[in-house]
Amino acid sequence: LDMKYIAAYALSVLGGKSAPTADDVKKVLSSVGIEAEQERLDTLIRTLEGKQLHELIAAGSSKLSTIAVSGGSGAAAASGEAAVEAEVKEEEPQEEEADVDMGDIFGGEDDY
């Protein structure tokens, strides 16, 4: 299944349709200039018929959590470490607080 069809289905669910039809998905796709293919729409609706989207997402998420995350090679691991170091170096610099004279807005001349 094409991801844009799945995304359109999910948007329909978020829009309040508990079981979107092919026409619902087609409307979402056409709203962003995509001409839907009827065969793909039928496949999507047939595949998701009788299933709740949130349950499918939860099942998929649990499957993703079982995937072992490890470097396939030394080069891949090294490039991953470099990317992490680059992210750390790209942190936004902290703005220094400026000492601004507010002109005695509280009526006293005491310096605290």
Side-chain angles (χ1 to χ4, degrees):
L1 291 173
D2 196 347
M3 196 63 192
K4 59 187 163 197
Y5 288 85
I6 297 169
Y9 186 91
L11 286 170
S12 293
V13 170
L14 288 172
K17 303 273 185 175
S18 60
T21 64
D23 285 337
D24 295 329
V25 175
K26 194 175 198 175
K27 285 179 189 175
V28 172
L29 292 172
S30 67
S31 73
V32 292
I34 298 172
E35 188 173 331
E37 296 175 27
Q38 191 62 44
E39 184 179 323
R40 289 183 182 212
L41 286 171
D42 293 340
T43 301
L44 174 74
I45 300 303
R46 187 174 53 251
T47 302
L48 298 177
E49 187 175 8
K51 299 176 183 171
Q52 297 295 315
L53 185 64
H54 68 279
E55 292 173 357
L56 295 173
I57 292 171
S61 294
S62 68
K63 289 180 183 179
L64 285 176
S65 67
T66 62
I67 297 175
V69 179
S70 63
S73 68
S79 67
E81 291 172 9
V84 169
E85 288 177 20
E87 286 181 25
V88 170
K89 290 180 184 176
E90 291 181 19
E91 288 183 11
E92 293 182 25
Q94 298 292 326
E95 291 184 28
E96 293 182 23
E97 290 185 25
D99 187 20
V100 179
D101 183 16
M102 297 302 285
D104 271 345
I105 63 171
F106 296 109
E109 293 190 23
D110 295 336
D111 255 350
Y112 292 104

